[in-house]
Amino acid sequence: MSVLFPPTTHLPPIAKIASFSITQLLDALTYLQSLYYPEVRGSHRKRVQAPVFNGEQNSRLPHEDDNELQVIRSDAFERSYSIRWLIALIAQLEVWQDLSHSRDASLDDLGKLEPIFTHTEMIVQQAASLLAICAGVAAAGIFTRNFVFGSIDGHRRVEAQLTDIPLDNDDYGSVGAQTWGGACVLAEMIVEDPERFGLDFSSDDPKSRRLNVLELGAGTGLVSLVVMKLLDTLPSFNHREVSVVATDFHPSVLANLRSNVNANVPSMHDQITSTHSIITHFLDWSSFSTAPRPDCLSYPFDVVFGADIIYEAQHAVWIRDCLKGLLRRPSDSIRSPAAFHLVIPLRPTHTFESSTVESVFLKAPDVDPNDDADLVILSKESITCDAHGDYTRGQGLDEDVEYLYYKIGWSNARL
Ligand SMILES: C[S@@+](CC[C@H](N)C(=O)[O-])C[C@H]1O[C@@H](n2cnc3c(N)ncnc32)[C@H](O)[C@@H]1O
């Protein structure tokens, strides 16, 4: 467990900021970011309740530093010191920037200032963004988070770096510009137990065909990227072709999704021999059945993911229609039956929308196996997370966030 220090004791003193090197100040800024950058709200699984039916038990990874972190974050004095420190840092950077353009700068000064020539904009932007967060401005602008997921036994570890872009308040459709708790919960569960999600086929024929993975409403792309990076590390996928297709429909969300994919797997495009690929593509659930199908969506998918994608009355119906055309049918499946894994938050404001999952998809035991194949709920599980996250928006730290995890598949598939 790492020890956390309050900003007042850990940061270079404000009055002496000019005497520290740019590297020391950058380290201090990074430390401050780790304290104050909001986590994704509701992304820490607290306990996993007994499955409603057919699910498997699971347990959460410990987050031992949480209490210490919350104490520092909620300390108004520490926060106000951090704000003043950031203001002093930005002012000092400006002084150095001016000096670097000045003819009077000595060689000694120029040596010290060299890192500033290339990174001033970025450092000022990061400091200003953190300043906005500490000052309580919700729309802090673009910022990048590092996500780390690991298995309980420590054998698997996946990291991803994702950039959120500001929510456009005039455009409700831009919700996917930020990473939501449901994606974190799903990504964590996948890394803990890939087999549960059809992502480990140690018993299958190693020469079997490509694994096709699809994400609907991918937003910033966390789930797709974590799946891709996880499969890169699993020995059973060393020589197996894998295709991950991350989809969304909103133009700015898609642009950010592309940029996140490129930032995390930049070398993929150059690796002609690589058997694993990830691409992003436009897919609007509402027009899926009528719109022409691009090549990358014309093959059946073995595993489909969806995180926090049911929040309007029609969503469940549209998604069922997409799945009917995209989820591999059991008759031509040679490995574990294809499945759609869905995690939704139970928002008090959206109880009707959440309930549509269970009116659109029947539960497997309620369906006559002799009827025509239909998409059914194979299992359902409740997940509770600490809210934590965005304390700057005045959300209660004590509140829990509830999620439901549904596994949905064809009613006539072998289990
Ligand atoms: C609440 S966000 C969740 C994003 C991401 N899965 C996550 O959990 O961070 C919902 C996502 O669904 C996408 N979405 C909403 N309606 C859609 C539609 N009709 N077709 C495709 N994507 C849609 C949004 O653009 C957004 O990215």
Side-chain angles (χ1 to χ4, degrees):
M1 184 168 106
S2 56
V3 179
L4 296 176
F5 300 101
T8 42
T9 62
H10 191 73
L11 300 178
I14 292 177
K16 296 185 184 157
I17 220 164
S19 65
F20 284 80
S21 72
I22 190 71
T23 315
Q24 287 169 314
L25 295 178
L26 264 180
D27 285 347
L29 177 62
T30 307
Y31 179 74
L32 209 50
Q33 285 174 325
S34 74
L35 289 183
Y36 287 110
Y37 259 4
E39 294 152 58
V40 176
R41 184 170 185 269
S43 59
H44 284 183
R45 270 189 294 157
K46 200 174 173 184
R47 58 180 179 269
V48 177
Q49 293 171 356
V52 180
F53 70 98
N54 241 4
E56 303 104 61
Q57 201 83 23
N58 216 329
S59 59
R60 70 179 286 246
L61 288 172
H63 296 279
E64 295 130 320
D65 291 336
D66 286 357
N67 287 340
E68 224 177 325
L69 187 61
Q70 294 311 320
V71 169
I72 295 176
R73 281 177 168 180
S74 52
D75 187 321
F77 181 73
E78 291 298 336
R79 177 100 60 95
S80 117
Y81 182 83
S82 303
I83 289 172
R84 283 182 290 124
W85 188 87
L86 286 164
I87 291 169
L89 173 69
I90 293 170
Q92 187 57 51
L93 289 169
E94 275 167 4
V95 170
W96 281 335
Q97 202 177 10
D98 288 344
L99 191 60
S100 70
H101 294 130
S102 141
R103 290 189 184 154
D104 300 330
S106 67
L107 278 179
D108 201 9
D109 283 337
L110 289 175
K112 184 177 173 187
L113 298 174
E114 198 184 351
I116 297 199
F117 293 148
T118 39
H119 299 302
T120 319
E121 280 294 307
M122 186 270 289
I123 302 169
V124 170
Q125 198 196 348
Q126 300 259 351
S129 175
L130 187 57
L131 185 59
I133 288 172
C134 289
V137 179
I142 296 177
F143 65 90
T144 304
R145 285 192 187 89
N146 283 315
F147 292 90
V148 181
F149 301 99
S151 57
I152 289 167
D153 62 10
H155 285 137
R156 289 180 295 280
R157 182 184 158 90
V158 174
E159 290 184 33
Q161 198 179 59
L162 292 191
T163 296
D164 283 10
I165 50 175
L167 272 183
D168 180 349
N169 289 334
D170 297 329
D171 184 356
Y172 182 58
S174 72
V175 289
Q178 301 197 338
T179 306
W180 294 83
C184 302
V185 167
L186 184 53
E188 188 181 63
M189 291 167 72
I190 292 168
V191 176
E192 278 178 15
D193 188 358
E195 206 170 342
R196 181 183 193 192
F197 295 88
L199 295 177
D200 203 357
F201 303 114
S202 41
S203 58
D204 275 4
D205 171 7
K207 293 198 203 82
S208 61
R209 62 179 157 64
R210 185 173 71 178
L211 176 78
N212 296 323
V213 179
L214 172 70
E215 185 178 3
L216 299 171
T220 59
L222 180 66
V223 171
S224 291
L225 280 166
V226 163
V227 166
M228 183 68 197
K229 290 184 166 202
L230 173 71
L231 294 178
D232 283 346
T233 67
L234 292 180
S236 49
F237 283 91
N238 274 354
H239 304 291
R240 175 163 295 145
E241 270 190 82
V242 171
S243 157
V244 177
V245 185
T247 65
D248 210 291
F249 81 138
H250 192 277
S252 63
V253 173
L254 259 177
N256 188 47
L257 175 62
R258 262 182 220 118
S259 138
N260 278 334
V261 166
N262 290 338
N264 280 273
V265 281
S267 54
M268 270 312 152
H269 305 291
D270 308 331
Q271 289 175 17
I272 293 161
T273 52
S274 169
T275 52
H276 296 183
S277 72
I278 178 165
I279 59 161
T280 60
H281 208 279
F282 173 88
L283 193 171
D284 182 350
W285 317 322
S286 65
S287 56
F288 174 77
S289 5
T290 48
R293 200 99 64 92
D295 281 353
C296 67
L297 294 173
S298 60
Y299 41 78
F301 288 87
D302 304 287
V303 190
V304 181
F305 292 106
D308 199 350
I309 55 170
I310 308 284
Y311 49 91
E312 284 181 19
Q314 317 91 311
H315 281 170
V317 172
W318 289 343
I319 283 165
R320 182 195 55 199
D321 292 346
C322 292
L323 291 172
K324 283 191 168 167
L326 292 166
L327 193 67
R328 187 185 292 284
R329 305 255 168 180
S331 51
D332 64 337
S333 175
I334 55 161
R335 54 164 79 92
S336 346
F340 170 49
H341 303 274
L342 172 69
V343 168
I344 56 164
L346 293 179
R347 296 191 173 100
T349 46
H350 287 70
T351 43
F352 168 73
E353 289 79 2
S354 304
S355 75
T356 57
V357 174
E358 290 182 42
S359 46
V360 169
F361 300 97
L362 296 178
K363 288 180 181 159
D366 299 338
V367 172
D368 185 339
N370 298 317
D371 285 353
D372 288 346
D374 203 355
L375 287 165
V376 292
I377 299 172
L378 302 171
S379 65
K380 169 185 169 185
E381 181 180 302
S382 298
I383 296 160
T384 306
C385 292
D386 292 322
H388 286 221
D390 201 346
Y391 55 91
T392 59
R393 295 182 201 184
Q395 285 157 333
L397 293 176
D398 299 335
E399 288 168 26
D400 286 341
V401 182
E402 302 285 336
Y403 294 93
L404 287 176
Y405 160 57
Y406 290 100
K407 180 175 176 183
I408 290 169
W410 291 106
S411 55
N412 58 340
R414 76 188 149 82
L415 289 175

